Amino acid sequence: MSTPVSYYFLAEGCSYFDVHAIRRDFPILAQRVNGYPLVWLDNAATTQKPWAVIDRLSSFYAHENSNIHRGAHQLARQATEAFEAARETVARFLGAPSSNTIVFVRGTTEAINLVAQTWGRQEVGAGDEIVITYLEHHSNLVPWQMLAAEKGAKLLAAPVDDTGQVMFDRYVSLLTPRTRLVAFAHVSNALGTVLPVREMTAAAHAAGARVLIDGAQAVAHMPVDVTTLDADFYTFSGHKVFGPTGIGVLYGKPEVLTAMPPWHGGGSMIRDVTLERATYQDPPARFEAGTASIAAAIALGAALDYLDRLGVANVARYEHELLAYATGAMLTVPGLRLIGTAQEKASVLSFVLNGHHPDEIGTALDRHGFAVRSGHHCALPILRRFGLDATVRSSLAMYNTRDEVDRLVMALSRLTG
Ligand code: PMP
């Protein structure tokens, strides 16, 4: 069963966060890879799972497994209660007004496609405009390209400056009465830039547009409150916030979700059906056709509860200090160029090293137990903006330490030396 964590101890110079106790909650972190202790610095791709999540998954399958919502027996009731309790947990975690605003999906990609193909098909017409930014992950670009092509709408992208931050004035100048939707990342997965999402949302609303925020890289690193942000849609993936793969969240304002047509048909998304036609449930059931990832949703609830116990604000503070430390340390490596140096950043250190292809660095680090990513990080437009088609990306989470950063810097220095 879950190892309890004690978090108000002195560790790594922090009086509010015991990173070593937290690491003990994540069994995979004790592993050796290629003969070296694993240093997991690929958190932007996916995060590791604490016992609280692993145990919740296995106890569901060991004791509670049933399909939900449609059975009259004990296990069906129990599984349904646990699934709906997870929805409540997500709503609380996001500061959403009610659990009816939380739609369970497979992940961020599915959430954005859902919005494009339901809200988008209904609300976007020929000559309308959708605004994104150069920083977007392909998952927050391609669905809008597809919608724009289908509808004869225009897709416009706000440029970024040399630090990797959105040029706010240029962004505002793209907003017109034709703008139907603005979609942007809360945090860039390729550079780590934290976008000024509150200000960007307010500007979009002033122009009469709806706003979708891709929170895939935000929720594990900072407190998020969709009500304060005033987002119309907010999306994230369970696996990037210490939960399982195959589960994610679409938050939508109640009045926006209620006005949206369904996407996938089938299962219990119907209110009634004849051979000729169907009527549909209210949200969120309207958007949850077919059997959900029941265990994964319940375990996502456990992940968010775990994070809540640590305190997301504590996590943010710890990570902020660690990122500042890592940024300084990385800059001591000869020939290293950081890509993405915005004032506001979270988690990500993207870099290139003179004379070495990113893949070569990724492979060399892997031999010493470091898991980093090399490549385009599914965000090609922003890398091209910096004249690149690949970087090495190390991305931090709350269980990473200064010691791991030091070892990374040492390994990189050896490569260049
Ligand atoms: N948006 C961002 C900013 C991401 O970092 C990712 C994952 N790398 C996605 C969207 C897509 O998430 P998923 O693959 O979980 O659907």
Side-chain angles (χ1 to χ4, degrees):
M1 278 288 136
S2 325
T3 318
V5 278
S6 33
Y7 16 98
Y8 296 100
F9 285 77
L10 200 76
E12 299 244 324
C14 298
S15 56
Y16 52 89
F17 203 74
D18 183 354
V19 68
H20 298 292
I22 290 166
R23 287 178 72 81
R24 286 195 289 278
D25 289 339
F26 290 79
I28 208 169
L29 298 179
Q31 228 166 240
R32 294 178 85 81
V33 168
N34 295 328
Y36 291 87
L38 170 65
V39 180
W40 184 258
L41 294 170
D42 198 14
N43 293 289
T46 201
T47 53
Q48 299 300 350
K49 319 305 171 202
W51 279 120
V53 168
I54 299 166
D55 287 345
R56 192 64 194 90
L57 274 175
S58 70
S59 84
F60 176 80
Y61 284 123
H63 305 293
E64 296 157 89
N65 181 50
S66 165
N67 211 326
I68 50 172
H69 290 146
R70 46 189 102 133
H73 52 78
Q74 174 59 27
L75 289 187
R77 278 192 297 276
Q78 228 171 297
T80 303
E81 260 171 42
F83 184 78
E84 291 305 325
R87 199 192 302 277
E88 305 256 340
T89 301
V90 173
R92 264 196 317 276
F93 185 80
L94 287 180
S98 110
S99 61
N100 290 337
T101 63
I102 303 299
V103 181
F104 280 125
V105 288
R106 274 196 303 137
T108 306
T109 305
E110 186 168 89
I112 296 172
N113 278 278
L114 189 161
V115 174
Q117 292 177 33
T118 59
W119 183 90
R121 279 191 177 142
Q122 183 170 273
E123 301 292 333
V124 175
D128 284 343
E129 294 170 359
I130 299 163
V131 173
I132 59 170
T133 82
Y134 264 74
L135 287 164
E136 300 318 311
H137 187 279
H138 301 164
S139 294
N140 198 25
L141 162 62
V142 180
W144 308 120
Q145 279 176 346
M146 293 161 86
L147 178 67
E150 180 183 322
K151 293 294 187 168
K154 244 200 262 174
L155 182 62
L156 304 165
V160 301
D161 62 22
D162 290 342
T163 72
Q165 184 53 278
V166 171
M167 298 165 86
F168 193 78
D169 292 348
R170 298 279 296 278
Y171 159 73
V172 171
S173 71
L174 292 179
L175 303 172
T176 74
R178 304 269 8 202
T179 313
R180 305 293 296 137
L181 179 83
V182 179
F184 46 80
H186 195 160
V187 176
S188 151
N189 71 304
L191 308 188
T193 310
V194 181
L195 282 74
V197 285
R198 209 162 149 187
E199 294 78 2
M200 288 175 75
T201 301
H205 284 161
R210 293 281 183 199
V211 173
L212 179 144
I213 303 178
D214 168 357
Q217 296 296 340
V219 287
H221 307 289
M222 62 191 63
V224 171
D225 186 302
V226 292
T227 305
T228 310
L229 291 176
D230 200 24
D232 297 293
F233 300 105
Y234 195 96
T235 67
F236 74 89
S237 301
H239 70 99
K240 293 189 201 277
V241 61
F242 316 110
T245 51
I247 191 72
V249 168
L250 169 67
Y251 158 81
K253 277 186 183 161
E255 66 274 21
V256 181
L257 286 183
T258 303
M260 273 162 51
W263 184 25
H264 295 155
S268 47
M269 49 78 79
I270 57 102
R271 192 185 297 280
D272 192 15
V273 66
T274 64
L275 285 178
E276 290 74 32
R277 64 183 60 84
T279 53
Y280 307 117
Q281 295 278 10
D282 291 334
R286 185 188 302 166
F287 304 107
E288 294 179 352
T291 299
S293 291
I294 302 164
I298 293 168
L300 171 60
L304 300 183
D305 281 340
Y306 174 83
L307 200 48
D308 208 39
R309 285 198 298 277
L310 298 179
V312 190
N314 288 334
V315 168
R317 229 162 103 206
Y318 173 78
E319 275 194 45
H320 189 74
E321 286 168 17
L322 187 63
L323 183 65
Y325 177 80
T327 304
M330 299 283 271
L331 290 173
T332 64
V333 177
L336 186 143
R337 177 179 157 219
L338 272 182
I339 311 298
T341 51
Q343 197 89 35
E344 298 292 327
K345 279 186 64 177
S347 168
V348 173
L349 291 149
S350 223
F351 61 93
V352 287
L353 208 48
N354 255 348
H356 297 272
H357 189 275
D359 289 345
E360 186 196 326
I361 297 163
T363 308
L365 289 174
D366 175 48
R367 278 200 295 272
H368 291 86
F370 295 92
V372 299
R373 225 359 87 150
S374 62
H376 57 54
H377 320 303
C378 295
L380 262 172
I382 191 59
L383 291 199
R384 294 206 173 114
R385 156 68 179 78
F386 286 89
L388 301 164
D389 57 14
T391 67
V392 185
R393 181 186 69 185
S394 54
S395 45
L396 305 167
M398 61 183 180
Y399 39 57
N400 290 121
T401 64
R402 288 185 181 206
D403 178 57
E404 288 178 316
V405 170
D406 291 343
R407 277 189 274 156
L408 175 68
V409 167
M410 226 182 320
L412 289 171
S413 302
R414 266 201 303 271
L415 256 177
T416 56

